[in-house]
Amino acid sequence: MKRSIILLVIAAVVIGAGVYYVRGSGTSEAAAGAPGAAGGQRGGNPGGGFGGFGGPGGFGGGGGPRLPMTVELAAVKRADMSSEITVVGNLIGAATVEAVAKINGRLDDVFVRMGDQVKKGQQIAKVEDRELQEQIKQAQASFEVSAATIRQREADLRLAQTNLDRSKNLYDRQLIPKQTWDDTDSRFQAALAQLDLAKAQYSQAQARLDELQINIANTTILSPVSGFIGKRSLDPGAWVTPNTAFMSIVDISLVRLVANVIEKDLRRMKNGLPARVEVDAYPDETFQGRIARVAPVLDPATRTAQIEVEIPNSDFRLKPGMYARVSFTIEHREKTLVVPTAALVDVGGNRGVFLPHKGDQGDIANFKAIEVGLIDQNLVEVSSGLVEGDNVITTGAAALREGDRIVLPGQQQPASGGGGRAGRGGRGGGRGRGVQGGQGESTQGPGRSS
């Protein structure tokens, strides 16, 4: 308990001493500053000594002139300018088709794997066909029976035709009664009908055989397009139906990019307009393409329309799903006047540049309004206001004001005006040392001067 009380007393003493010291130092500095400032004035430069930051020529005077700024220049020259529009999106293949079985069955074999290149019509999988093979044998037998039946019916018809001819001859000579003639004619008509029935059964057997042959052909799954296997989800032994998509084939001999273009740029999008395509996978390469289709309507929610860009991909380096940037050159001008983009500034709502000008106290910056045309990341086209060879301020232009003093490359920074350096001081002036022309230097301390 006693130890705690002792510690509290010591802490209070230390805090009190610190407060006293701080207050005493502030009072001394303020007292010393006033005579020092007066001494500076007696030295012959009112307000020009270490009397504070506010004097003319000091480092921070609220109403003093701005310090000269070091700038860089660039010449107005001629160069080629282009206006471009860039859109982004994901690449997709020319065609992506799902391979499905046409009949129900169990996969007997799959002949390709993901990434394999295939041709249109190439066999890629096989469904079991043993049951269909047996059905084809039965249908073939029925077809042969139908063919034999036709031959039999044709023979019966020929015999009935002979009997009919004989009966007609006898009937005409009135050697047989009319009933016998009618019976012979009926048998001929029946033989003719039997032949027609046999032919119909033959056609039916032929159709059944053709159907089974189509079914057995459908057990072989063929690639619907040329391309690459993009996905394979089933292995041999799996059961498939006509609704089972177990493999996809993507054609990447040509890739496409579908992008949205804002309303004001849509009028410049034309079929056949060349395009430059860049992808992150090949950062130093540019692929050439063209606009293939432009949507005739805009989305009322986004006020954009879709365009489709086609990019030939004969070497298959571009892959569907890649993120791509597509640029279109919509306007190009050759040998036009340009200035660096860094030189363009906005002053009072007017766009222009700063030009260096010789003044009484050195180089100053003068603002010159110009009319601009095309603008890109590095250059600005000058439609009027400048001529070739003019020098404009680039580095530092954004911080300049009309009439500011500037320091050009290779020049010395001029001394600041006002006849002295502004020193540190308290609220009233602090320590002061006023110098003008080597006279009137005041030293630290109240009222001491030499």
Side-chain angles (χ1 to χ4, degrees):
M1 184 68 181
K2 291 182 179 181
R3 184 177 180 182
S4 301
I5 295 174
I6 294 173
L7 292 176
L8 289 174
V9 171
I10 294 174
V13 172
V14 171
I15 293 173
V19 171
Y20 177 78
Y21 176 78
V22 171
R23 291 181 176 178
S25 298
T27 305
S28 299
E29 291 285 343
Q41 293 178 1
R42 287 193 300 271
N45 182 22
F50 272 96
F53 291 98
F59 282 126
R66 289 158 57 89
L67 292 177
M69 181 181 297
T70 302
V71 298
E72 294 182 359
L73 304 180
V76 179
K77 60 181 182 180
R78 294 190 177 273
D80 296 342
M81 287 286 293
S82 298
S83 177
E84 294 186 347
I85 295 176
T86 301
V87 297
V88 297
N90 293 323
L91 298 179
I92 59 177
T96 301
V97 183
E98 299 290 337
V100 297
K102 294 183 179 181
I103 62 172
N104 297 326
R106 196 173 303 278
L107 280 178
D108 192 30
D109 200 358
V110 180
F111 306 112
V112 292
R113 294 186 176 274
M114 185 179 64
D116 289 349
Q117 185 175 3
V118 295
K119 299 293 184 180
K120 183 178 181 179
Q122 178 179 334
Q123 184 175 350
I124 58 177
K126 177 71 174 176
V127 179
E128 290 181 353
D129 61 356
R130 285 183 289 276
E131 293 181 2
L132 288 174
Q133 292 286 0
E134 294 300 323
Q135 294 177 18
I136 285 180
K137 291 179 182 179
Q138 294 177 7
Q140 184 69 39
S142 298
F143 175 75
E144 293 174 357
V145 169
S146 299
T149 302
I150 289 177
R151 291 192 297 272
Q152 180 183 358
R153 299 309 180 195
E154 287 175 345
D156 294 342
L157 181 62
R158 286 193 296 270
L159 178 60
Q161 180 71 49
T162 301
N163 291 334
L164 181 64
D165 293 341
R166 185 182 299 115
S167 296
K168 185 176 186 308
N169 185 25
L170 294 174
Y171 177 75
D172 290 341
R173 292 160 51 186
Q174 297 183 354
L175 297 177
I176 59 174
K178 187 176 186 304
Q179 182 178 0
T180 303
W181 156 252
D182 291 338
D183 292 341
T184 304
D185 184 63
S186 297
R187 285 193 293 272
F188 173 78
Q189 297 297 330
L192 185 62
Q194 289 293 329
L195 178 60
D196 291 339
L197 177 61
K199 288 181 177 179
Q201 291 174 342
Y202 176 85
S203 298
Q204 185 179 25
Q206 179 69 55
R208 175 58 178 166
L209 182 60
D210 291 342
E211 179 186 5
L212 291 174
Q213 288 176 342
I214 292 174
N215 288 340
I216 201 167
N218 288 338
T219 60
T220 301
I221 303 175
L222 306 178
S223 174
V225 295
S226 298
F228 293 84
I229 304 299
K231 179 184 67 175
R232 171 184 158 179
S233 57
L234 295 180
D235 294 320
W239 183 266
V240 293
T241 67
N243 296 324
T244 304
F246 69 98
M247 192 179 300
S248 65
I249 300 94
V250 56
D251 179 9
I252 60 174
S253 59
L254 181 84
V255 293
R256 298 177 293 144
L257 181 139
V258 178
N260 294 323
V261 177
I262 59 178
E263 183 176 357
K264 71 181 184 67
D265 293 332
L266 185 61
R267 61 184 177 85
R268 300 178 176 181
M269 300 290 105
K270 306 295 183 182
N271 288 349
L273 182 66
R276 299 185 307 280
V277 183
E278 298 177 351
V279 295
D280 293 338
Y282 307 105
D284 299 326
E285 295 187 49
T286 300
F287 301 86
Q288 301 301 319
R290 65 178 184 86
I291 295 180
R293 281 162 284 277
V294 179
V297 295
L298 281 77
D299 183 351
T302 61
R303 295 298 177 186
T304 60
Q306 284 191 338
I307 62 171
E308 188 173 292
V309 180
E310 292 183 348
I311 307 103
N313 189 35
S314 58
D315 53 2
F316 309 123
R317 299 175 67 197
L318 298 176
K319 310 296 183 184
M322 283 184 173
Y323 182 78
R325 294 171 296 278
V326 182
S327 300
F328 309 97
T329 299
I330 58 175
E331 193 172 356
H332 180 75
R333 297 176 186 172
E334 296 183 353
K335 303 301 181 182
T336 185
L337 284 179
V338 296
V339 296
T341 304
L344 186 65
V345 295
D346 189 297
V347 176
N350 297 319
R351 291 198 291 185
V353 296
F354 280 106
L355 304 176
H357 179 71
K358 289 290 185 180
D360 296 338
Q361 299 181 354
D363 292 301
I364 60 173
N366 284 343
F367 177 77
K368 179 69 175 293
I370 63 173
E371 292 184 7
V372 300
L374 302 180
I375 300 177
D376 62 19
Q377 295 182 350
N378 301 315
L379 297 175
V380 176
E381 180 188 17
V382 180
S383 300
S384 64
L386 296 174
V387 296
E388 187 176 1
D390 286 346
N391 288 322
V392 297
I393 297 174
T394 56
T395 303
L400 289 175
R401 300 176 186 171
E402 175 70 21
D404 279 357
R405 290 183 297 165
I406 57 175
V407 178
L408 301 180
Q411 292 182 346
Q412 294 280 341
Q413 175 78 27
S416 59
R421 293 185 304 165
R424 293 185 306 170
R427 296 182 181 179
R431 298 166 54 189
R433 180 192 298 175
V435 179
Q436 181 180 15
Q439 299 177 0
E441 181 176 345
S442 66
T443 59
Q444 183 178 359
R448 293 175 56 190
S449 63
S450 59

